[in-house]
Amino acid sequence: MQGSSRAAAAGSREAFTGALAATADRSRLAEELFAVVGALDGNATLRRALADPSREGADKAALAEKLFAGKVSAETLVVLKGVVGQRWSTERDLSDTLESYGVETIIASAETADRADQVEDELFHFERIVAANEQLRGALGDQTVAAERRATLVTSLLEGKAADETLALARQAVVAPRGRRFDRTVAGFLETASARREQQTATVISAVPLTDDDRARLAAGLSSIYGGKVHLNTVVDPRVLGGVKVEIGDEVIDGTIMRKLDAARRAMGA
């Protein structure tokens, strides 16, 4: 986002946090926010009208109320008016912000149930499963197949095996990719979750599964280095030949045997 859109996102946040606290049905709030995003993505005239930086914010908020009042809950309308009342650099920034608030609403629901870590882990690992299976990746990404059929496939894979919030986010990523690949959509959702929870996320690749103690020690060590909470997404890859490889932000900490062997080979060839 450019500077004006960052300011707009900050300006709309109060409306979102107030609506999130007020609603008794966060699932409905998330669904309606996603539906509004779909309406904006599908109607260029509407999107331009609500994002037009030359119009007063109050006028755009009044237009949003005229168009959506009675069709969405009062809380969703509060969020929508708070978002469109700001000045955005691009139309996409407006709809992206609404989408991120939908994702945050689902994560907030998981936090209330004390399973936000579980949801992040499940969503990350489901994306890895999809990435590793060409047939599944093709089926979920095929835009010529009706969205509901793709959503049904996700439900058949996750229902009863993952948290409700994981299923909701995975279905949304498949139903409304908004021009992105599935992996990029999920990555964006996970970034939104990390930002909400004020934490960094590290991808840890190891030859064998980490024990709970291993995870706790590694998370504590990374927290001491980078400051704040660090959530671990773990990947098992026998090719690393022992040790662990950690990717956090733009940094890579490679303590695998393979890395050491590669370094030795380079040294011998020098």
Side-chain angles (χ1 to χ4, degrees), residues 16-24 26 29:
F16 169 66
T17 54
L20 185 63
T23 185
R26 287 178 172 174
L29 176 59

Coordinates of all heavy atoms in Angstrom, one line a residue, residues 16-24 26 29:
F16 N -13.7 -1.0 12.4 CA -13.6 -2.5 12.4 C -13.6 -3.1 13.8 O -14.3 -4.0 14.2 CB -12.4 -3.0 11.6 CG -12.2 -4.5 11.8 CD1 -13.1 -5.4 11.3 CD2 -11.0 -4.9 12.4 CE1 -12.8 -6.8 11.5 CE2 -10.7 -6.2 12.6 CZ -11.7 -7.2 12.1
T17 N -12.7 -2.6 14.7 CA -12.5 -3.1 16.0 C -13.8 -2.9 16.8 O -14.1 -3.8 17.6 CB -11.3 -2.4 16.7 OG1 -11.5 -1.0 16.7 CG2 -10.0 -2.8 16.0
G18 N -14.5 -1.8 16.6 CA -15.7 -1.6 17.3 C -16.8 -2.6 16.9 O -17.5 -3.1 17.7
A19 N -16.9 -2.8 15.6 CA -17.9 -3.8 15.1 C -17.5 -5.2 15.5 O -18.4 -6.0 15.9 CB -17.9 -3.7 13.6
L20 N -16.2 -5.5 15.6 CA -15.8 -6.9 16.0 C -16.2 -7.1 17.4 O -16.6 -8.2 17.8 CB -14.3 -7.0 15.8 CG -13.7 -8.4 16.1 CD1 -14.3 -9.4 15.1 CD2 -12.2 -8.3 15.9
A21 N -16.0 -6.1 18.3 CA -16.4 -6.2 19.7 C -17.9 -6.3 19.9 O -18.3 -7.0 20.8 CB -15.8 -5.1 20.5
A22 N -18.6 -5.6 19.0 CA -20.1 -5.5 19.2 C -20.8 -6.7 18.7 O -21.9 -7.1 19.2 CB -20.6 -4.3 18.5
T23 N -20.3 -7.4 17.7 CA -21.1 -8.5 17.0 C -21.2 -9.7 17.9 O -20.2 -10.1 18.6 CB -20.5 -8.8 15.7 OG1 -21.3 -9.8 15.0 CG2 -19.1 -9.4 15.8
A24 N -22.3 -10.3 17.8 CA -22.5 -11.6 18.5 C -22.3 -12.8 17.6 O -22.3 -13.9 18.0 CB -23.9 -11.7 19.2
R26 N -19.6 -13.6 14.8 CA -18.4 -13.2 14.0 C -18.3 -14.0 12.7 O -17.8 -13.5 11.7 CB -17.1 -13.5 14.8 CG -16.9 -12.5 15.9 CD -15.7 -12.8 16.8 NE -15.5 -11.6 17.7 CZ -14.5 -11.6 18.6 NH1 -13.8 -12.7 18.8 NH2 -14.4 -10.6 19.4
L29 N -20.3 -11.9 10.3 CA -19.5 -10.7 10.0 C -18.5 -11.0 8.9 O -18.4 -10.3 7.9 CB -18.9 -10.1 11.2 CG -18.0 -8.9 11.0 CD1 -18.8 -7.7 10.4 CD2 -17.4 -8.4 12.3

